[in-house]
């Protein structure tokens, strides 16, 4: 990129999330996508590290022959098997897919923070695996050995094809649509659906006072992921506004079909992890919960809900709304929060 000498300041009204001018990319001000800057600041205020959370109780329970059932151990390990590789997939997509093709520097600022958070999440899983002395090779290789994890990750990775290529450019209608489709898949499906039965299981452990250190790690991850999803929704809706021609009826139908396919993949995974149910959650409950959240994701980007079911796990919504739980922060060793900005 060559700097255009003596060119006038960027016209903020010309700024676009995708397909903007090259000069835009390094001029943070004037800002157009102010939501991204707010997300960047809120994320910094919510900073945390896995090693701040005590794993002592988890270590004792994992060693104890009676604290956990065989089904609970299997469910815990399988959920970790999904988690350990999923955040690396998310990180790669941000760095090698989104970042390069985004032409709004304020959106790029949050993407840099988001990429770091994905690294913190992978660190959290590594820390859990190491603390409990789990079989590292087994857990980190589950995506290649367990069908339901493989199917979810294979589905997601398919949407990187083309976009990760060095010569992919945002100069055709098809490529712009492909990029928007990638964003819908990563935000609405990977971050918005594929994590949620695993989140529910981990909070199930917490509700039984089991493996609470691991569950607390996951609560922090849920808070971050919920921001990633909300940010993704803002990005998708802004791209729609800036490029209304991309959101054709066919495109909208395609996104709905992808979400429906993802719902099946997700509840198939939940069924495989808990064939006999766990903590009062059975296969039907998971199916309905996933359908419920899928409808919420569709609505956020202006698409028609497909299932219209009640939330069978209302406690999940409460748990996600962590800003209301004051006690949650009392377990923290280090307090990064300085600006009183826990609302998101
Ligand atoms: Fe994420």
């Amino acid at each position: 990129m060559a700097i255009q000498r003596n060119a006038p300041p960027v016209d903020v009204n010309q700024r676009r999330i995708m397909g903007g001018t090259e000069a835009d990319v390094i001029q943070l001000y004037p800002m157009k996508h102010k939501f991204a800057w707010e997300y960047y600041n809120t994320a910094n205020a919510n900073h945390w590290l896995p090693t701040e959370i005590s794993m002592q109780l988890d270590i004792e329970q994992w060693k104890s022959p009676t604290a956990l059932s065989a089904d609970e151990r299997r469910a815990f390990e399988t959920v970790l098997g999904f988690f350990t590789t999923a955040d690396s997939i998310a990180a790669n997509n941000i760095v090698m897919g989104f970042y390069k093709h985004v032409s709004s520097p304020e959106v790029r600022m949050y993407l840099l923070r988001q990429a770091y958070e994905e690294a913190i999440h992978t660190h959290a899983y590594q820390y859990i695996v190491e603390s409990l002395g789990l079989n590292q090779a087994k857990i980190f290789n589950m995506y290649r050995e367990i069908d339901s994890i493989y199917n979810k990750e294979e589905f997601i990775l398919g949407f990187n094809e083309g976009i990760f290529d060095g010569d992919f450019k945002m100069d055709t209608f098809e490529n712009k649509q492909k990029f928007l489709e990638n964003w819908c898949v990563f935000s609405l499906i990977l971050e918005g659906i594929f994590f949620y039965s695993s989140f529910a299981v981990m909070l199930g452990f917490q509700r039984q006072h089991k493996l609470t250190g691991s569950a607390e790690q996951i609560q922090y991850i849920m808070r971050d992921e919920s921001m990633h999803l909300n940010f993704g929704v803002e990005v998708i809706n802004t791209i729609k506004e800036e490029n209304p021609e991309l959101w054709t009826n066919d495109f909208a139908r395609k996104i709905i079909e992808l979400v429906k396919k993802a719902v099946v993949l997700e509840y198939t995974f939940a069924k495989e992890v808990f064939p006999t149910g766990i903590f009062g959650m059975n296969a039907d409950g998971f199916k309905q919960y996933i359908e419920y959240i899928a409808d919420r994701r569709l609505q956020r980007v202006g698409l028609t809900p497909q299932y219209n079911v009640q939330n069978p796990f209302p406690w999940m919504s409460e748990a996600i709304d962590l800003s209301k739980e004051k006690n949650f922060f009392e377990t923290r060793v280090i307090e990064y929060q300085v600006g009183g900005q826990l609302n998101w």
Side-chain angles (χ1 to χ4, degrees):
M1 172 182 141
I3 296 174
Q4 250 191 301
R5 290 279 282 160
N6 300 320
V10 163
D11 174 3
V12 74
N13 296 313
Q14 298 301 315
R15 182 161 282 178
R16 295 286 179 268
I17 288 186
M18 54 188 220
T21 65
E22 284 194 336
D24 268 14
V25 178
I26 53 174
Q27 285 189 32
L28 182 59
Y29 270 112
M31 244 181 232
K32 182 185 178 197
H33 306 108
K34 295 196 172 87
F35 70 89
W37 184 244
E38 283 165 24
Y39 273 86
Y40 173 79
N41 283 303
T42 307
N44 287 338
N46 286 350
H47 187 68
W48 67 287
L49 285 173
T51 45
E52 292 159 21
I53 297 160
S54 169
M55 293 295 290
Q56 203 48 49
L57 182 75
D58 299 46
I59 293 167
E60 284 163 24
Q61 288 180 335
W62 197 261
K63 277 187 190 152
S64 155
T66 53
L68 301 162
S69 72
D71 278 353
E72 286 167 359
R73 286 171 187 274
R74 182 174 167 272
F76 183 78
E77 287 191 309
T78 314
V79 162
L80 270 181
F82 166 71
F83 278 143
T84 47
T85 39
D87 280 85
S88 298
I89 290 175
N92 290 349
N93 195 64
I94 293 165
V95 175
M96 299 192 283
F98 291 165
Y99 191 87
K100 186 177 175 187
H101 301 291
V102 159
S103 51
S104 161
E106 54 270 31
V107 170
R108 280 186 161 193
M109 286 289 277
Y110 180 73
L111 288 176
L112 290 171
R113 171 74 212 188
Q114 188 185 345
Y116 176 47
E117 288 175 3
E118 308 297 3
I120 290 172
H121 301 170
T122 302
H123 181 182
Y125 312 132
Q126 177 278 339
Y127 182 58
I128 294 171
V129 168
E130 190 182 43
S131 300
L132 301 183
L134 306 180
N135 182 335
Q136 297 164 355
K138 177 182 154 192
I139 305 274
F140 281 82
N141 201 45
M142 276 187 179
Y143 75 106
R144 299 206 274 209
E145 297 180 24
I146 295 185
D147 287 351
S148 62
I149 299 179
Y150 169 85
N151 290 337
K152 290 206 295 180
E153 300 198 349
E154 180 69 6
F155 172 85
I156 289 291
L157 288 171
F159 293 90
N160 288 335
E161 270 162 35
I163 293 178
F164 278 21
D165 295 352
D167 56 0
F168 181 85
K169 285 208 167 51
M170 210 62 96
D171 55 359
T172 65
F173 180 86
E174 286 70 30
N175 280 4
K176 285 179 186 169
Q177 247 188 359
K178 192 174 164 69
F179 186 71
L180 181 56
E181 178 192 71
N182 174 286
W183 216 306
C184 290
V185 167
F186 272 81
S187 297
L188 306 178
I189 296 178
L190 178 60
E191 300 194 300
I193 295 174
F194 280 178
F195 276 87
Y196 277 78
S197 35
S198 301
F199 283 158
V201 174
M202 295 302 292
L203 293 190
F205 277 104
Q206 190 175 46
R207 282 153 59 85
Q208 306 284 320
H209 305 290
K210 289 174 178 175
L211 304 172
T212 49
S214 303
E216 193 180 341
Q217 308 265 1
I218 300 302
Q219 262 190 303
Y220 281 104
I221 293 172
M222 262 173 64
R223 183 179 59 174
D224 294 342
E225 285 305 331
S226 169
M227 269 189 69
H228 298 177
L229 166 64
N230 289 334
F231 175 78
V233 165
E234 295 244 28
V235 165
I236 292 163
N237 287 331
T238 306
I239 293 177
K240 273 174 77 175
E241 267 170 46
E242 291 176 348
N243 312 267
E245 73 286 356
L246 298 179
W247 200 266
T248 60
N249 289 339
D250 279 351
F251 184 83
R253 260 194 299 274
K254 194 172 172 194
I255 299 302
I256 291 173
E257 286 315 310
L258 291 173
V259 166
K260 286 166 83 172
K261 208 172 157 190
V263 165
V264 175
L265 288 172
E266 183 59 11
Y267 72 67
T268 306
F269 167 76
K271 225 167 32 188
E272 196 170 310
V273 177
F274 332 101
T276 56
I278 191 167
F279 309 138
M281 300 178 267
N282 57 28
D284 287 346
F286 275 105
K287 181 170 182 284
Q288 193 176 323
Y289 177 64
I290 293 152
E291 290 173 349
Y292 171 81
I293 59 167
D295 272 351
R296 305 284 81 73
R297 311 304 180 239
L298 289 170
Q299 279 176 312
R300 295 283 304 278
V301 295
L303 297 172
T304 314
Q306 301 295 303
Y307 305 98
N308 301 302
V309 292
Q310 296 281 312
N311 181 2
F313 304 156
W315 48 269
M316 272 297 282
S317 313
E318 288 156 29
I320 291 164
D321 202 0
L322 295 176
S323 55
K324 285 181 185 160
E325 290 191 19
K326 286 187 187 129
N327 289 340
F328 184 64
F329 296 97
E330 287 170 10
T331 58
R332 295 289 299 277
V333 180
I334 300 167
E335 195 57 87
Y336 298 98
Q337 175 69 25
V338 285
Q341 294 192 43
L342 281 174
N343 301 324
W344 43 271

